[in-house]
Amino acid sequence: MLVVGGGIVGLATAYGLTRARPGLRVTVLEKETGPARHQTGRNSGVIHSGVYYRPGSLKARYAAQGAAEMVKFCAEYGIPHEVTGKLIVATEREELPRLHALAQRGRENGIPLRELGPAQITEFEPHVRGQAALRVATTGICDYATVARTLAALAGDAGAEVRYGAEVAAIDRREGLGVAVRTTSGTVLRARILVNCAGLHCDAVARLAGDRPPARVLPFRGEYYELRPARAELVRGLVYPVPDPAFPFLGVHLTRGVDGGVHIGPNAVPALAREGYDWRTARPRELAGTLAWPGSWHVGRRHWRYGAGELRRSVCKRAFTTAVRRLLPEVTEDDLVPAPAGVRAQAVLRDGTLVDDFLITEARHTVHVLNAPSPAATASLPIGREIATRVLAQLS
């Protein structure tokens, strides 16, 4: 069994496989020198409750289940975590209908929540201002990079092998036999089934296997700031704006992490490379592939106003600060210090539809995870079990 990708989903899959069938030979191929170097290790560390997601969707099911499991997993293995709860704050009256709709969705998903007025907001977050808010008590924070390393160690203890510095260069699939994978070092590995958890490169790996994925990854960079330590007391826990239902992004939010620091962000701007963590990083071949996908142009035409605002906040710190001050009026430009960015692998269909749910497809000898952005880290344990179930069904 080969798993491509050493992020939290790939490692949770290896962990799930070794638990479901002890003795199964599992090898994880990760091109970096260690685990969790991209989406897993560059997010805000939030354990999501599941309040946002369409009832009945994989995100809704797995986020609520995964949140409880992630807290238990962190407690069992001594991983830094805390169930802090969060506020989702409407700062304008025009946002109140969306906030109420979100409350209804949360209740349909079985998420306990409480509706707050302006005075009650300040009981939880004295420096935050808003018209109304939802208090979601089951949201938390953890260190997902440590979770990933722990999953790798547990899978290894159960007999799995995690190979770092093993980038996939070619895949040969033979009907009835399985797959052969050649890495850039020339090593060839064979298995009956390949599981593609390659994140930012998942669609490329699917094409290497000879499959035609229905979506293409568009990389969106999320840029963060953090509060100067002397101003970290402005935020006690987690504070989110009311999200725009037309987009799978949650907006610029405030997150006090397990280290006590307060991260602010992310925005969402197109990246010029799959691993384009700043404007200086561009890969012409990857950019050409993005521009050649019809869905990219459809997204641009439909959402250019939204995108223009995100770009402005990317290049203008004052504009970013203005967005933050809607939630946190006391913050100033000088309070914000640049922090490392992340890149979200967002799957987009040919017609420009932003895939809003987890997307897992199967073909003979392959399982492809083609869309697993947030809340995939939260949901990684049930996602790993789901993939293991699909793999074992193919083996039977």
Side-chain angles (χ1 to χ4, degrees):
M1 187 65 52
L2 290 175
V3 178
V4 179
I8 197 168
V9 173
L11 294 169
T13 297
Y15 173 78
L17 285 166
T18 58
R19 291 301 183 276
R21 184 171 292 184
L24 182 69
R25 293 182 59 186
V26 179
T27 301
V28 179
L29 303 178
E30 167 54 48
K31 69 184 182 65
E32 304 295 350
T33 56
R37 296 298 171 86
H38 295 290
Q39 292 184 102
T40 301
R42 289 174 170 266
N43 61 39
S44 52
V46 175
I47 302 174
H48 288 283
S49 63
V51 69
Y52 297 107
Y53 313 116
R54 177 175 51 81
S57 66
L58 292 177
K59 281 187 176 183
R61 288 163 47 202
Y62 290 163
Q65 181 181 354
E69 290 186 28
M70 186 58 65
V71 170
K72 182 179 178 182
F73 185 89
C74 289
E76 183 175 356
Y77 293 103
I79 299 169
H81 72 288
E82 184 179 356
V83 180
T84 59
K86 76 173 173 186
L87 298 184
I88 304 172
V89 180
T91 59
E92 306 290 342
R93 294 191 64 83
E94 293 77 11
E95 295 175 330
L96 292 177
R98 282 161 44 198
L99 186 72
H100 296 321
L102 189 60
Q104 179 59 31
R105 172 168 284 192
R107 292 187 179 103
E108 290 179 28
N109 287 335
I111 308 301
L113 49 84
R114 176 184 170 195
E115 297 186 64
L116 308 178
Q120 294 167 306
I121 291 173
T122 58
E123 292 177 15
F124 291 98
E125 292 286 351
H127 301 280
V128 170
R129 297 293 179 268
Q131 299 282 331
L134 299 180
R135 167 71 176 172
V136 187
T138 52
T139 303
I141 52 174
C142 73
D143 182 345
Y144 282 122
T146 300
V147 172
R149 288 192 292 270
T150 303
L151 288 169
L154 292 171
D157 291 344
E161 179 186 7
V162 183
R163 296 193 183 190
Y164 298 112
E167 182 174 359
V168 173
I171 301 172
D172 182 25
R173 179 173 55 184
R174 300 293 175 88
E175 180 67 29
L177 296 176
V179 294
V181 172
R182 177 170 54 81
T183 67
T184 53
S185 68
T187 302
V188 175
L189 302 98
R190 293 177 172 81
R192 288 184 60 188
I193 297 177
L194 178 142
V195 181
N196 170 14
C197 300
L200 288 159
H201 304 277
C202 62
D203 55 341
V205 171
R207 292 194 300 275
L208 281 178
D211 292 319
R212 299 182 64 182
R216 182 71 57 90
V217 166
L218 266 61
F220 285 89
R221 185 170 62 255
E223 296 160 331
Y224 290 89
Y225 287 88
E226 59 187 11
L227 284 179
R228 290 188 296 110
R231 298 287 276 170
E233 79 281 352
L234 290 176
V235 180
R236 288 181 174 179
L238 309 181
V239 184
Y240 281 67
V242 180
D244 186 332
F247 299 95
F249 311 112
L250 298 180
V252 172
H253 48 270
L254 319 174
T255 306
R256 178 178 284 275
V258 291
D259 61 356
V262 176
H263 272 68
I264 300 178
N267 60 354
V269 296
L272 304 180
R274 300 287 178 113
E275 297 166 15
Y277 296 112
D278 53 49
W279 285 113
R280 297 183 301 274
T281 303
R283 295 183 178 173
R285 181 175 295 180
E286 292 180 2
L287 182 58
T290 296
L291 295 176
W293 182 244
S296 302
W297 296 97
H298 291 308
V299 169
R301 281 193 293 268
R302 290 175 192 166
H303 305 304
W304 67 269
R305 293 182 188 274
Y306 180 93
E310 295 292 292
L311 286 169
R312 183 166 180 266
R313 286 186 283 275
S314 173
V315 300
C316 177
K317 185 180 181 182
R318 180 176 298 176
F320 193 100
T321 305
T322 298
V324 177
R325 292 187 66 187
R326 294 181 61 211
L327 292 168
L328 196 65
E330 296 175 45
V331 80
T332 69
E333 279 190 66
D334 291 339
D335 293 331
L336 302 183
V337 179
V343 177
R344 174 190 177 112
Q346 176 61 52
V348 177
L349 301 180
R350 180 173 286 274
D351 66 0
T353 300
L354 298 170
V355 179
D356 192 39
D357 202 1
F358 299 141
L359 177 60
I360 304 172
T361 66
E362 295 181 60
R364 185 64 173 156
H365 301 300
T366 58
V367 177
H368 301 292
V369 182
L370 297 175
N371 196 58
S374 179
T378 298
S380 54
L381 293 172
I383 289 174
R385 284 199 304 276
E386 169 67 21
I387 295 170
T389 297
R390 297 187 185 209
V391 167
L392 296 176
Q394 284 205 34
L395 286 177
S396 60

